Every structure is written in C-alpha cells, then in structure tokens.
Amino acid sequence: MTDVASAPAPSAAGGKRKRRPKPQPDESEILRLSHLFDRGFGGIPVLLVIAFALSLATDSFLTGTNLDNLGRQVSIYAIIAVGQLLVILTAGIDLSVGSVVGLAGVVAATAVFETAGGLPVVLAVALALVVGAAAGLVNGVLVAVLRMPPFIVTLGMMGIARGATLLLTDGRTVQPLPAEFTAIAGGSVFGVSNLTWLMLLVAVVMAWLLRRTVWGQYVYAVGSNVESARLTGVPVRSVLLSAYALSGLLAAFAGVLLASRLGNGVPTSGTGYELQAIAACVIGGASLFGAKGTALGALVGALVVGLLNNGGTLLGVDPFWLQIAIGVLILIAVGAENLRGGKSRGLPGMAAR
C-alpha cells in the first residue's frame, strides 16, 4: 500500500491559500527624522540652507579665498565646541573656555617671543596646553570633589583666567612672533589649511572616544543620571575630572592656534568664545541637560555659526543682527528638543555633583 501525500485543504474563500503578511521592521530599526536629530544631524539641513542662500546672494562665497578663511575661522570654534561638548554631556557647563583660549594664547606667545630669547616652539605649545588642562582640572576638582555647581565654578575660572592673561601681558599685545610659531596655523597640506586638518583630527578622535570606548559610555551615563551611574560602578569623579580637563586642554589648543593664526598674543582674544561654543553644541543637537550630543553635531553647529558670521561679513550685515540670529537658532534648537519629548530637569549645570 503506497502512501499518498495529501494536498492542503482549500480555504473556504475560493480555495486559495492565504499569503503570510510580510514581516514589518521593528520600531527600533526604523530611522525616523527625529532619530536624525538625536544622532547629531539636526544642524545639517540648517547648514545646507545657509550655504545655498549665501551662494546665491553673493559671488564671493564660493571662492577659494573665502572658503579657506571660513575653514580657518570655523576650526577655532569647532575645537572649543568639541571640548565644551564633553562637559555638556555630563550635564555641566564650562564658561571658562573663552578665557582659557586667551590665556593659553599669550602663554605660548610669551614663551616664544623672539625678542626675549624664548623657548622652542614645541616647548611653548606644551606649556600652554598644560596651563589649559590645569585650569580645566581645577574646574573638575571643584565640581566632582567639592560638589560645587559647574556654572559658578567655571564662571569664577573665567574671571581668574582672564585676569591672569591681563597680568601676564600688562594688557599689551605680545608681538612679533617667530615664523616657526605662525607656521602652525599658516601652513597647509594638499591645499587645505593646517587648521582645517587639525579640526577634523580633533573631531574624529573625540567621536571615536565617545562612541567606541568605555570612557565614552561612562560620559553619557553620568550625564543621563549621575546617581544611577555611581550605583552601577561608574567612576563618576574620574569621568568628571577627565571631561573638564579635556575641555580646558582643547580650549588651550584652540588658543595656541588662534595666536599662531593672528601672529601675536592678544590678551583679549577668546572673549565671548564660550557662548559661540555652547551655541555650536546646542545647534548641533546637544542637550544642556546632558547625555545627548555627538562630536559630529558640535562640528556641524560650529560650521553653522561660522557660516552666519562669514555670510554677515560678505553681505555687510550688522554684527549685532548676527548675534540675534544665533540666539534665535539656540532657542529654536532647544524648543525643538522639548517638542520631541525632552523634559526639563532644572537649570543645566546648576546641580551639585
């Protein structure tokens, strides 16, 4: 007796088999528009719109000279913004970065001042970086160990660093500087300025550290909930100390590059740069409440700020209007975050650790 394979029974409706529905992607696998903003791409549409408008409004925007100047100018803002981002990710704030820019610049300039038999350029740059890192480390100790509010701590350091800068120079510009020092920012590789290459290097390295290392995950954890991070074994104090120290180090690096670009040490340089850095981070998608933001976003935000300043110069716009435009962008960025579900947890940077 042979076995006969039985055919599937026809369905009641026309004898046809029902087709199985295609599997739908999981909600977490769908890259929605809000996810683009969360990943630091929120400033890219703004960047493209501004660039397109400027290319139509003026013939000089897309020239090689202007783009080179734009890259040199944005590089300083971007490096400071990346350092500021590290502190913002921990739900803190660093108001001292602008003053540290000025202090590091005059320290390096004074050290290589050619009429005083100064230090070699490498040692002068190293000294300036140590000064910046030390200023950031003091901020970190006061915040992480003494649990003082970051806003107050860095506001005090802002005054200390600026006062030290004026005392060191007696309020006078340090010049002239040797060609070896000015070549740091004045040189170029493959037709692209050294400043632009250094900016990209800083952004890539910090992006890798934040995304691919345990330390980076700790930074986000501290910014998300400092108490939960402590209970799960995150070394909160060490993370805060490193974040503030790196912020000071990158601010000092930007100060050295700025002094090299200007060819002198200006005691008032860096004034207001802390606001530009915060604006770049916020426009680039960072949250002032911590645990949200990327190095790419900070870079994009710095490009937006730089485009506004550059475009205003080309079009002859009053710089006061540019300040208003940057302020409006900050409000729009923060408002968009709230509309996407962000909840206020009090003033950022005011909670004691």
Side-chain angles (χ1 to χ4, degrees), residues 236-264:
V236 174
R237 286 186 178 180
S238 299
V239 171
L240 290 174
L241 289 173
S242 62
Y244 281 92
L246 282 173
S247 178
L249 177 66
L250 290 178
F253 185 44
V256 171
L257 295 178
L258 181 60
S260 175
R261 182 190 175 204
L262 297 176
N264 50 57

Side-chain angles (χ1 to χ4, degrees), residues 204-218:
V204 169
V205 169
M206 294 313 304
W208 181 81
L209 288 175
L210 289 173
R211 298 291 297 178
R212 301 297 181 183
T213 66
V214 175
W215 175 82
Q217 300 305 310
Y218 284 169

Side-chain angles (χ1 to χ4, degrees), residues 222-318:
V222 170
S224 178
N225 191 309
V226 64
E227 193 58 34
S228 296
R230 182 180 289 110
L231 293 175
T232 55
V234 174
V236 174
R237 286 186 178 180
S238 299
V239 171
L240 290 174
L241 289 173
S242 62
Y244 281 92
L246 282 173
S247 178
L249 177 66
L250 290 178
F253 185 44
V256 171
L257 295 178
L258 181 60
S260 175
R261 182 190 175 204
L262 297 176
N264 50 57
V266 182
T268 57
S269 63
T271 302
Y273 279 25
E274 62 277 353
L275 301 181
Q276 302 278 11
I278 295 171
C281 292
V282 173
I283 293 171
S287 171
L288 293 178
F289 300 113
K292 179 183 174 185
T294 63
L296 172 62
L299 176 60
V300 171
L303 286 171
V304 171
V305 173
L307 276 181
L308 286 175
N309 291 326
N310 179 258
T313 301
L314 294 178
L315 298 175
V317 178
D318 192 321

Side-chain angles (χ1 to χ4, degrees), residues 70-284:
L70 176 62
R72 294 175 187 271
Q73 181 184 27
V74 168
S75 299
I76 305 298
Y77 293 146
I79 291 173
I80 303 171
V82 171
Q84 181 74 249
L85 173 70
L86 300 177
V87 176
I88 289 178
L89 288 176
T90 65
I93 201 78
D94 191 350
L95 300 178
S96 67
V97 289
S99 296
V100 172
V101 166
L103 177 59
V106 299
V107 165
T110 302
V112 299
F113 189 33
E114 64 180 7
T115 60
L119 294 175
V121 172
V122 175
L123 294 180
V125 171
L127 177 62
L129 296 180
V130 168
V131 170
L137 188 59
V138 171
N139 287 336
V141 169
L142 295 177
V143 172
V145 179
L146 300 184
R147 299 192 176 186
M148 295 175 63
F151 184 91
I152 302 301
V153 168
T154 57
L155 182 64
M157 182 57 70
M158 178 175 68
I160 293 171
R162 186 61 65 185
T165 303
L166 295 172
L167 282 175
L168 183 63
T169 60
D170 290 328
R172 294 192 293 266
T173 300
V174 181
Q175 61 180 358
L177 300 181
E180 293 83 1
F181 183 75
T182 57
I184 298 174
S188 62
V189 178
F190 303 119
V192 180
S193 68
N194 291 345
L195 284 174
T196 303
W197 287 117
L198 291 172
M199 171 189 69
L200 294 176
L201 177 63
V202 168
V204 169
V205 169
M206 294 313 304
W208 181 81
L209 288 175
L210 289 173
R211 298 291 297 178
R212 301 297 181 183
T213 66
V214 175
W215 175 82
Q217 300 305 310
Y218 284 169
V219 170
Y220 284 99
V222 170
S224 178
N225 191 309
V226 64
E227 193 58 34
S228 296
R230 182 180 289 110
L231 293 175
T232 55
V234 174
V236 174
R237 286 186 178 180
S238 299
V239 171
L240 290 174
L241 289 173
S242 62
Y244 281 92
L246 282 173
S247 178
L249 177 66
L250 290 178
F253 185 44
V256 171
L257 295 178
L258 181 60
S260 175
R261 182 190 175 204
L262 297 176
N264 50 57
V266 182
T268 57
S269 63
T271 302
Y273 279 25
E274 62 277 353
L275 301 181
Q276 302 278 11
I278 295 171
C281 292
V282 173
I283 293 171

Side-chain angles (χ1 to χ4, degrees), residues 5-99:
S6 58
S11 62
K16 295 183 179 180
R17 298 175 60 185
K18 290 184 178 181
R19 294 183 178 179
R20 294 182 179 179
K22 295 182 179 179
Q24 298 297 321
D26 185 75
E27 186 73 16
S28 61
E29 298 176 358
I30 303 176
L31 184 60
R32 301 186 184 279
L33 182 60
S34 60
H35 293 177
L36 292 177
F37 283 85
D38 291 339
R39 297 182 184 189
F41 294 92
I44 291 181
V46 178
L47 178 67
L48 295 177
V49 168
I50 295 176
F52 180 72
L54 289 176
S55 65
L56 294 179
T58 173
D59 295 332
S60 57
F61 173 70
L62 293 179
T63 61
T65 301
N66 181 66
L67 293 179
D68 180 67
N69 290 332
L70 176 62
R72 294 175 187 271
Q73 181 184 27
V74 168
S75 299
I76 305 298
Y77 293 146
I79 291 173
I80 303 171
V82 171
Q84 181 74 249
L85 173 70
L86 300 177
V87 176
I88 289 178
L89 288 176
T90 65
I93 201 78
D94 191 350
L95 300 178
S96 67
V97 289
S99 296

